[in-house]
Amino acid sequence: MPSGHHPATLALRVGFLGILLAAGAVRADVDSPADVDIPPGAVADALLDLAAQTGISIVFVRSETFEARSTGARGRLSARQALPLLLGRTCLHYVAITPTLIAMREGCRGISEPARATSAAPVALTEVLPPGVEEVIVREPYVTGSRIRLPSADTLTHVDILDRTDIELAGNQDIGALLRTLPAVAGNATSTLVTNGGDGTANITLRGLPASNTLVLLNGRRANPDPWGGRSVDLNSIPLGVVDRIEVLKEGASALYGSDAIAGVVNIVTRNELRGLDVSGYYGRSSRDDLATRNTNLTYGGDVANLSITLGASYYDQQPIFSRDRSRSASSDDRLLGGSNKRSSATSPARVTVNGVPLTLSDTSLDGSDPSHFRPATAADLFEYRDFTVAVVPSERYSLFADLRHPAPYGEGYAELLYTDTQAHNTLAPAPLFTAFEMLDLTVAADAAFNPFDVPVRDVRRRFTESGARDIVNETKTIRAVVGWNGGV
């Protein structure tokens, strides 16, 4: 590739064919005017310069035809106006794939006919490229935000990209569940699978580091953090229906963004080229007739006056799985699986330690008013808290999203609005009491009315089963509004 081109020029290799892609730093479309100054030279070089100066993407298979001479173009022109000037009477014409993507096609129509578009309506890219090209992937000129330099032919960026097709084929109904499938994700990330201490939020932990060390961006800009989890971002606050792709930079980027990007960066890019209404729905349940999950997404994209608009609405409802309903999670005694016995010593009836010996009632019908009512506690006298807990936290979410873009001669104005209301209902075992571990002195005095042992009892462990399971409701509301200008001269 000749040197001296715009840094947004990207070379891709598909099979044995060279596919050249040029993308400008400012988003535009084929009809957006720009200051074009392209000198005479090879057609291939002229196309790359045009892409860089107008902010569109141009895909073509480089061949001898593209080495033909172009007379150049200069002035205030859109890509659609400049292309006939650059192509002249060559055996080339172009096809609009999307409003921001043009594909070149070889083929002469006669020496006297000037170059023009073969179709006014967008077509599939596979209909344009010659046989032998199985797949061409066109990406934006940025990967994880404006601070990371644009890719070029001699640089590599280690980024995992999940595009819209990957998202739909995966079948996941939220971003947190989708990202858990990536090999780079490891560690103690929160999700609806975290019950004791979970709040229904979801975050990502790259390379086993805390979630606060993974930076989450929305359209290349920082997302507001989860109010419960501190500096980490609740991925569930972003509806999956409006996501176009997810870019995961697995390398540390703390030099660019700070300590919250030590583990890497996740950039969630929303859909902004949709034209029309996209409606999707999901309903599923487990074979045990639980975990009923509903997800409905409505996304609309279109142009109003000189505005590009994307609107999205999402409703998500997930019912629980109780730990007791699965053999794998029914017991917290994992000794048969090579683990430890994690059942609780806070029991009902109570477990008391007298003179270093743990005791419990020998019969639940006794009231414990006499020392003879007690017997030494054994390893079997433990409380199974998983009889009450959930293995999957039920949650309900409403989300609204709006993206407005206004192209202008020297850039693009944009506005984003995100609103999400999430409710998660967690169920825990009845509240326990451990007097020996409380900050206050809760020793039962020797002369207390309900102490039959005539000695102080400092260690009393009891589970208040009469009060029932604890029901914890976590409700979060996320509001994000961004207004800005992206552009340059």
Side-chain angles (χ1 to χ4, degrees):
M1 180 178 296
S3 60
H5 286 296
H6 191 277
T9 302
L10 173 65
L12 304 176
R13 176 71 60 178
V14 182
F16 297 100
L17 296 175
I19 307 296
L20 297 182
L21 166 67
V26 180
R27 290 186 56 83
D29 57 44
V30 295
D31 294 310
S32 299
D35 290 328
V36 174
D37 186 3
I38 303 174
V43 171
D45 297 340
L47 291 174
L48 295 175
D49 288 336
L50 177 65
Q53 295 178 21
T54 60
I56 66 167
S57 298
I58 302 178
V59 178
F60 61 95
V61 180
R62 192 157 193 169
S63 65
E64 293 183 0
T65 305
F66 287 90
E67 298 305 320
R69 298 288 296 178
S70 169
T71 57
R74 177 177 297 179
R76 188 73 180 168
L77 304 170
S78 67
R80 195 185 299 274
Q81 294 169 333
L83 278 168
L85 301 177
L86 297 179
L87 301 179
R89 301 187 183 280
T90 63
C91 292
L92 294 170
H93 47 283
Y94 66 92
V95 178
I97 305 300
T98 71
T100 61
L101 173 63
I102 285 178
M104 304 304 303
R105 173 182 283 172
E106 295 185 70
C108 290
R109 300 170 306 280
I111 193 66
S112 62
E113 185 178 357
R116 58 178 175 84
T118 58
S119 174
V123 299
L125 185 59
T126 54
E127 299 177 14
V128 180
L129 297 176
V133 178
E134 297 181 355
E135 181 181 11
V136 174
I137 301 176
V138 179
R139 301 297 184 197
E140 296 289 342
Y142 56 88
V143 287
T144 56
S146 59
R147 291 191 179 184
I148 293 182
R149 65 179 180 178
L150 302 177
S152 62
D154 56 354
T155 61
L156 292 176
T157 305
H158 299 284
V159 178
D160 284 344
I161 300 179
L162 301 175
D163 59 20
R164 189 67 200 169
T165 301
D166 298 327
I167 294 172
E168 293 175 351
L169 291 178
N172 299 111
Q173 300 305 307
D174 57 69
I175 296 178
L178 177 65
L179 293 182
R180 284 199 302 270
T181 62
L182 297 180
V185 176
N188 191 24
T190 63
S191 68
T192 55
L193 300 179
V194 178
T195 55
N196 194 351
D199 51 26
T201 63
N203 57 33
I204 182 171
T205 53
L206 290 175
R207 298 157 58 185
L209 295 175
S212 58
N213 294 136
T214 299
L215 177 62
V216 176
L217 305 174
L218 182 59
N219 290 325
R221 294 174 286 272
R222 292 175 183 267
N224 42 323
D226 164 38
W228 297 107
R231 291 184 295 169
S232 61
V233 173
D234 180 14
L235 297 175
N236 288 339
S237 65
I238 305 173
L240 191 60
V242 302
V243 176
D244 179 67
R245 67 180 185 275
I246 302 175
E247 302 167 339
V248 181
L249 176 63
K250 298 176 291 184
E251 307 295 335
S254 57
L256 300 175
Y257 290 102
S259 61
D260 52 353
I262 289 177
V265 183
V266 175
N267 184 30
I268 301 171
V269 182
T270 59
R271 306 168 73 177
N272 52 43
E273 294 185 359
L274 176 66
R275 296 297 178 266
L277 180 65
D278 180 74
V279 180
S280 63
Y282 171 88
Y283 176 80
R285 60 193 310 119
S286 73
S287 59
R288 306 288 185 89
D289 203 30
D290 53 13
L291 195 63
T293 304
R294 300 174 178 86
N295 190 18
T296 303
N297 294 284
L298 287 82
T299 309
Y300 170 79
D303 296 319
V304 178
N306 202 25
L307 282 177
S308 176
I309 299 177
T310 302
L311 303 175
S314 175
Y315 173 73
Y316 176 87
D317 178 53
Q318 175 183 266
Q319 297 301 307
I321 292 180
F322 284 90
S323 303
R324 60 178 179 266
D325 293 334
R326 298 292 190 275
S327 59
R328 181 183 295 268
S329 59
S331 176
S332 52
D333 185 359
D334 296 329
R335 289 175 294 181
L336 293 178
L337 301 176
S340 59
N341 188 356
K342 296 189 289 292
R343 292 182 295 171
S344 175
S345 60
T347 60
S348 178
R351 178 189 184 106
V352 298
T353 300
V354 180
N355 297 324
V357 179
L359 304 173
T360 189
L361 286 177
S362 57
D363 193 317
T364 55
S365 63
L366 302 174
D367 60 9
S369 59
D370 189 272
S372 63
H373 294 173
F374 292 83
R375 61 171 176 81
T378 66
D381 296 315
L382 296 174
F383 183 79
E384 183 53 81
Y385 54 85
R386 290 190 180 176
D387 290 339
F388 300 87
T389 60
V390 293
V392 177
V393 177
S395 61
E396 186 178 27
R397 289 194 299 273
Y398 302 87
S399 297
L400 296 174
F401 178 80
D403 183 303
L404 307 177
R405 298 172 186 262
H406 177 71
Y410 296 102
E412 177 187 66
Y414 59 86
E416 294 177 6
L417 177 64
L418 172 66
Y419 172 81
T420 301
D421 187 341
T422 302
Q423 290 190 4
H425 298 261
N426 200 353
T427 303
L428 300 179
L433 173 66
F434 298 88
T435 62
F437 304 102
E438 300 294 336
M439 296 182 63
L440 299 176
D441 184 10
L442 298 179
T443 301
V444 181
D447 57 352
F450 299 99
N451 185 352
F453 302 107
D454 295 328
V455 296
V457 178
R458 184 173 180 269
D459 190 353
V460 178
R461 307 182 185 188
R462 189 180 189 281
R463 186 72 61 163
F464 295 97
T465 54
E466 59 271 19
S467 63
R470 288 170 287 173
D471 187 17
I472 302 175
V473 179
N474 295 294
E475 181 175 6
T476 60
K477 292 184 179 181
T478 301
I479 300 176
R480 181 179 186 267
V482 178
V483 177
W485 181 269
N486 180 23
V489 178

